[in-house]
Amino acid sequence: MMLAALAQRAARLLILLLGVNALLFVALGLSGDPALMLAGEDPTPELLESIRAEYGLDLPAWQRYLVQLGRMAQLDFGVSLYTGQPALFMVLEQLPATLLMAVLSMALTLCTAVPAGAWIGLRPESAARRFGAALTAVAQGIPGFVMALVLIQIFVVRLGWLPSLGYAQPAAWILPSISLGFFLAPKLCRVVSAGVAEAMQQDYIRTARANGASMRFILWREALPAALPATVALVGTQFAFLISGVVLIETLFLWPGIGLLLLHSAQSLDFPVLQALCFVVAVLVFAVNGLADALLRLMDPRLRPATQ
Amino acid sequence: MSASASLLRIRGLCVDFPRGGRVLHHVSLDAGAGEIVGLVGESGAGKTLAALSILGLAPAPGRISGGRIFIRDQELTQLGEEALRALRGRLAGFVFQDPLTSLNPVRRIGSALVESAMRHSGLTRRKARERAIAALRSVELPRPEVAMRAYPHQFSGGQRQRIMIALALINRPPLLIADEPTTALDAAVQSRILELLKRRASRQTLLMITHDLALAARFCDRLYVMRGGRVVEHGAARELFSKPRHDYTRSLVEALPGRRARASVPNRSRRQEPREVLAALSGLTVRYQGAAQAAVEKVDFSVHANETVCLVGESGSGKTTIARALAGVIKAAPGQLSFPALKDHAPSAAARARHLQLVFQDPYSSLNPRWPVERIVAEPLRAHRLCGRAEQKARVTALLSRVGLDPRQMDRRPSAFSGGQRQRIALARALAINPRLLLADEALSALDIRTQARILALLRDIRKERKLALLLITHDLALAAEVGDRVIVLRRGRIVEQGPASRVMNTPRSKYTRELLAAQARWGADAHSGGMYTSHP
């Protein structure tokens, strides 16, 4: 049972990776000739030829596809066209910084959005709810990078309290995390508040009240546990979206993560690095979704396979 | 009984809603220690609101604007929310109607019980756990230790209601308030839950809220009848049932299926020559994908012109599957379902629809809420291209008048109508293309008793007038006995008994039919009226 489920997941991962790889291959093929980028100013035809031969760019498309597919199977994405380092190594080197920011911003989001959402959800008819709903709607409308620019303007440029760039000192972690958290928090807040508000309408809340439960107990033990599965499902699906936010934020703060790497390698058509990046991101998204599914199953017993 | 001996005393209770005005009008009620008191009335009568108000649980904008409530001489209307909260579950426990939605789906049974016990009785977690297990055992739930770790969805409806009762009783309150505790359950389960309540409540006061007067008359010592937020009559249950004083109570009693039945029995069993067969099932077997058991297995019966056949069974017995097969929603295997009257071995969907029309259980979801009534009723006419625009209005007018609705309201949408009126709309729609067979799938079970009686009378008139055949699907044996020429009893997808209604009721051959009759006789329709079932042991 367990093994079958795992095998099914593995098969899905494989299909996903093949799909991503094929899409990327087509997209990159359309986007330009890397040999031109590598050759620099005024390349001679001979130079281009030699570059193409060196990187296997002179082969027909289907051959190139099969070759890189075979390599991918061995986790070999080739070397970067610019630094000469193995592409996968470059990605993995940058990954911890991105993960750090993801964890920090996620923690920040959870710490603000869940209490705020619960607070709003408990007051379905109040002015506070309408204000909260309006606020989150506005917040959702502001792109993350605008927020980041505003934060930099205030705390770095005007006040000079925080460093704006880099990764070395923890003080520099604050603004990127807030900016990225801002990206996700409003959505999460809405989902939590909707979930709590819906749970509060349910008959079992009446049962709890009839049993003398306090509002605090009802919120923590009855309404939130019922609202959380939807929240986790959202976080799971938003993760891929978060990566695109990461690109913007990392660029603005010169954060040495995979977002920055993605930007650079896309600008310079560094095919191997892009392939490796997409591979890693796909695996990451897949893993997070799997984790979210597992968490969902843990939180909502109705999703578990029947055991009795 | 003197007022001071009573455990629960309500005096002149009024509840107002800021926008809705006064909803409860000077309700007074007494319940003595150990007594079972019934609060009876149709939906919207204010029964539940009155009960919830006892411990300040009236839904949000509602406010107690007058009157006093006492439990054991402690006045509750003076208390604030915190003080009331401390009494909830300890002075009075609640059992609600739907045990599926009344238990939190993401919490284990045990944690709800244990936390409630710890909250009020100040027990340690271990002691609370012991008490929770004892409580589950006392409601006769099998394997209480295992049940503690399970979630609500892992239990059947009846078991969930047992859990609800355990939860309501865990802090040993002197008063148990049960709000329609068996309405969501099947007849046989219903009777077991009622027996459990009666046993468990022997040392307690039980306030039982129900729309089912017959059940209340059987089950309770005294009854309060509510209508429009007022108590219109109260008294000893037997007396009130046999000699209702108030017109409203009388109309409730007269609307009961058992009562209605006697009026219509004599002209039922007339012999008639063989009639045309409108639908014939021969060995119908339906198995849903992935299901271990067939939903319907080897079912044989036929419906003749101008007769009423009742298909009776509990939920899961396959009634609705048969309806679906007849309607063509599920494709029956070749030869298992035929419509001899159509003289066509494979009738088209359109021909089948002209032959057979349906009325569904839920009048709220079976009508498109965005369409005006005219369009809803005319839909079959349009679909079969039976009349033009100009004629449509005239046809709809005639249909609506026939089912007892004001045709001037045909521009309105379903939301403007009550449940009974919606069911009339559904009936008008079904009649629009003059079918010969009308299939009503629990079409009356969502309606309260008097509305049910009126719709039933309407169905009977229309049936006679149009020489329609009616296949009525119901879980209510008393209803089947009243309207059916023939009754077919289903259980787990098989027919366990079929025959003329009077024969099945009076000399049931299968054990299951006898069980159903017994369950209904104990709590059901004939109550103290010396009705049709009392001749059975």
Side-chain angles (χ1 to χ4, degrees):
Chain A
M1 189 67 207
M2 191 70 190
L3 267 174
L6 277 177
Q8 202 184 6
R9 284 217 169 257
R12 266 157 58 186
L13 177 60
L14 195 70
I15 293 168
L16 173 78
L17 290 176
L18 280 173
V20 166
N21 182 270
L23 262 177
L24 200 65
F25 187 81
V26 173
L28 292 179
L30 294 175
S31 60
D33 185 352
L36 275 176
M37 304 284 286
L38 278 172
E41 303 278 315
D42 295 325
T44 59
E46 295 75 39
L47 180 60
L48 284 178
E49 279 308 309
S50 70
I51 291 174
R52 288 195 178 112
E54 190 185 339
Y55 290 100
L57 296 169
D58 53 348
L59 296 170
W62 64 271
Q63 271 187 20
R64 273 186 288 143
Y65 180 67
L66 286 183
V67 165
Q68 61 99 13
L69 206 60
R71 284 205 194 140
M72 192 184 87
Q74 304 159 44
L75 293 182
D76 175 11
F77 295 90
V79 296
S80 162
L81 302 187
Y82 294 90
T83 66
Q85 283 181 305
L88 188 62
F89 173 77
M90 283 176 69
V91 175
L92 294 180
E93 199 181 35
Q94 302 274 83
L95 192 60
T98 297
L99 288 183
L100 175 71
M101 181 142 73
V103 169
L104 281 177
S105 59
M106 193 58 86
L108 202 66
T109 302
L110 288 175
C111 290
T112 52
V114 172
W119 192 83
I120 294 170
L122 284 179
R123 293 159 181 78
E125 292 307 320
S126 65
R129 189 201 70 86
R130 279 190 285 278
F131 179 72
L135 201 69
T136 51
V138 170
Q140 260 184 298
I142 302 175
F145 71 92
V146 172
M147 190 64 195
L149 288 173
V150 171
L151 287 175
I152 291 175
Q153 185 65 27
I154 296 173
F155 291 100
V156 180
V157 179
R158 290 275 168 81
L159 298 172
W161 290 356
L162 296 169
S164 75
L165 308 175
Y167 163 64
Q169 36 181 334
W173 300 354
I174 297 174
L175 288 186
S177 309
I178 292 179
S179 306
L180 195 56
F182 195 80
F183 200 68
L184 196 59
K187 284 187 195 70
L188 199 67
C189 183
R190 293 190 88 154
V191 172
V192 171
S193 73
V196 168
E198 197 201 317
M200 292 303 289
Q201 295 294 315
Q202 301 296 314
D203 287 350
Y204 54 78
I205 298 296
R206 187 178 60 179
T207 306
R209 288 189 66 207
N211 276 309
S214 62
M215 270 326 269
R216 213 177 67 191
F217 180 92
I218 286 175
L219 175 64
W220 285 104
R221 299 286 288 135
E222 304 273 354
L224 265 182
L228 276 186
T231 313
V232 169
L234 176 86
V235 172
T237 53
Q238 287 288 302
F239 188 80
F241 200 52
L242 196 67
I243 299 282
S244 63
V246 164
V247 177
L248 284 166
I249 303 296
E250 286 188 357
T251 311
L252 281 170
F253 290 98
L254 289 181
W255 187 268
I258 58 170
L260 205 58
L261 186 63
L262 182 67
L263 186 78
H264 287 321
S265 44
Q267 278 171 342
S268 53
L269 292 181
D270 196 344
F271 284 15
V273 178
L274 280 175
Q275 287 278 19
L277 257 171
C278 289
F279 178 84
V280 169
V281 168
V283 171
L284 217 56
V285 168
F286 189 82
V288 168
N289 275 326
L291 200 69
D293 276 356
L295 262 175
L296 267 180
R297 230 160 276 206
L298 201 69
M299 288 192 291
D300 192 339
R302 286 167 298 183
L303 298 175
R304 289 177 214 160
T307 47
Q308 272 191 323
Chain B
M1 176 187 47
S2 76
S4 62
S6 67
L7 177 97
L8 169 69
R9 239 179 332 138
I10 301 178
R11 288 290 170 269
L13 177 69
C14 296
V15 173
D16 289 359
F17 277 76
R19 269 178 229 136
R22 181 151 292 183
V23 179
L24 283 189
H25 303 264
H26 304 284
V27 171
S28 293
L29 182 150
D30 284 283
E35 205 180 16
I36 299 183
V37 174
L39 201 51
V40 187
E42 296 177 352
S43 53
K47 305 164 301 208
T48 300
L49 183 61
L52 287 174
S53 299
I54 293 172
L55 283 178
L57 287 168
R63 202 174 56 81
I64 293 181
S65 54
R68 305 167 82 185
I69 300 168
F70 302 87
I71 293 182
R72 282 185 175 151
D73 293 321
Q74 176 174 18
E75 174 150 16
L76 303 174
T77 28
Q78 301 299 318
L79 299 177
E81 169 68 17
E82 274 306 292
L84 280 171
R85 190 170 69 69
L87 297 176
R88 288 175 196 146
R90 216 173 67 194
L91 268 192
F94 284 84
V95 175
F96 295 109
Q97 171 169 356
D98 187 346
L100 177 57
T101 59
S102 297
L103 291 167
N104 194 332
V106 302
R107 297 194 64 197
R108 291 176 199 275
I109 301 304
S111 81
L113 284 164
V114 167
E115 274 159 6
S116 186
M118 288 170 67
R119 184 182 306 137
H120 284 306
S121 304
L123 300 175
T124 61
R125 187 163 283 277
R126 236 187 63 206
K127 287 268 183 223
R129 208 185 117 73
E130 280 166 22
R131 189 189 278 198
I133 291 174
L136 290 178
R137 191 167 287 130
S138 77
V139 294
E140 292 149 36
L141 197 75
R143 299 196 298 164
E145 287 88 356
V146 181
M148 291 282 284
R149 273 177 280 121
Y151 291 91
H153 73 279
Q154 293 171 305
F155 296 93
S156 69
Q159 287 175 328
R160 279 195 284 255
Q161 200 57 297
R162 284 172 195 273
I163 293 164
M164 277 299 287
I165 295 171
L167 190 60
L169 291 176
I170 193 153
N171 289 301
R172 297 168 189 168
L175 174 64
L176 182 63
I177 299 172
D179 186 356
E180 303 272 10
T182 59
T183 309
L185 306 174
D186 287 332
V189 181
Q190 191 174 41
S191 123
R192 287 194 286 274
I193 292 289
L194 286 171
E195 275 155 27
L196 174 73
L197 270 176
K198 197 151 203 165
R199 270 200 305 283
R200 287 293 305 162
S202 61
R203 277 163 298 162
Q204 268 156 326
T205 303
L206 178 60
L207 181 62
M208 167 94 169
I209 299 170
T210 177
H211 68 283
D212 188 339
L213 183 62
L215 182 146
R218 270 263 148 133
F219 189 71
C220 304
D221 303 320
R222 286 189 309 115
L223 295 183
Y224 286 80
V225 180
M226 282 190 77
R227 185 192 197 186
R230 291 184 170 82
V231 172
V232 296
E233 180 165 5
H234 66 97
R238 283 161 188 274
E239 216 166 290
L240 195 139
F241 192 82
S242 52
K243 293 195 247 0
R245 287 187 301 267
H246 195 277
D247 286 345
Y248 177 68
T249 317
R250 199 170 305 133
S251 71
L252 279 181
V253 172
E254 278 160 9
L256 290 172
R259 291 296 179 111
R260 298 188 305 235
R262 272 188 304 287
S264 63
V265 163
N267 51 9
R268 165 147 347 116
S269 50
R270 56 181 182 236
R271 283 259 155 220
Q272 286 207 348
E273 65 274 25
R275 283 169 297 189
E276 201 179 359
V277 178
L278 296 185
L281 280 67
S282 51
L284 179 72
T285 301
V286 178
R287 187 186 298 272
Y288 290 110
Q289 207 172 7
Q293 263 194 320
V296 164
E297 199 158 5
K298 295 188 189 125
V299 164
D300 295 296
F301 71 87
S302 45
V303 183
H304 302 87
N306 200 14
E307 76 167 344
T308 302
V309 178
C310 289
L311 210 52
V312 185
E314 302 186 341
S315 56
S317 61
K319 295 171 301 191
T320 297
T321 301
I322 292 176
R324 288 173 160 203
L326 277 165
V329 180
I330 299 172
K331 213 165 151 18
Q336 292 186 357
L337 173 63
S338 59
F339 300 95
L342 284 181
K343 303 189 171 56
D344 184 350
H345 286 300
S348 66
R352 189 198 287 233
R354 277 196 296 274
H355 184 61
L356 177 152
Q357 280 285 303
L358 289 99
V359 180
F360 301 97
Q361 170 168 13
D362 183 359
Y364 292 86
S365 61
S366 57
L367 302 176
N368 188 335
R370 283 180 205 83
W371 286 5
V373 169
E374 179 184 355
R375 183 160 174 206
I376 291 174
V377 175
E379 181 66 13
L381 293 171
R382 287 199 198 179
H384 294 274
R385 295 170 207 279
L386 290 180
C387 72
R389 290 245 160 204
E391 206 195 326
Q392 172 179 317
K393 197 159 194 129
R395 296 272 288 260
V396 172
T397 303
L399 283 163
L400 288 178
S401 321
R402 182 61 200 93
V403 298
L405 290 173
D406 183 356
R408 281 171 300 180
Q409 293 182 323
M410 71 164 77
D411 296 334
R412 299 177 136 197
R413 280 162 231 280
S415 57
F417 296 88
S418 71
Q421 288 175 321
R422 288 183 208 203
Q423 212 52 310
R424 287 173 195 263
I425 296 171
L427 184 58
R429 172 176 62 183
L431 294 174
I433 51 174
N434 282 316
R436 298 196 59 199
L437 172 58
L438 195 62
L439 177 58
D441 185 1
E442 294 279 12
L444 302 165
S445 51
L447 307 173
D448 62 54
I449 191 87
R450 291 192 310 159
T451 314
Q452 199 180 79
R454 285 194 287 265
I455 300 278
L456 206 54
L458 174 67
L459 265 177
R460 192 181 285 147
D461 290 348
I462 290 178
R463 203 189 69 70
K464 218 176 277 174
E465 161 192 316
R466 301 198 172 200
K467 302 209 179 335
L468 266 175
L470 179 64
L471 179 60
L472 190 77
I473 295 180
T474 178
H475 66 279
D476 188 342
L477 206 51
L479 184 78
E482 180 191 348
V483 295
D485 297 318
R486 285 192 299 128
V487 172
I488 297 166
V489 183
L490 274 175
R491 187 191 196 194
R492 291 187 195 145
R494 289 168 179 273
I495 292 181
V496 295
E497 174 148 18
Q498 63 173 315
S502 54
R503 208 277 296 145
V504 173
M505 294 298 143
N506 291 321
T507 51
R509 285 176 192 153
S510 89
K511 186 163 164 276
Y512 179 68
T513 314
R514 280 196 293 276
E515 267 174 38
L516 273 184
L517 281 169
Q520 230 156 14
R522 216 166 309 143
W523 309 116
D526 69 330
H528 304 278
S529 59
M532 55 204 303
Y533 312 139
T534 38
S535 56
H536 309 299

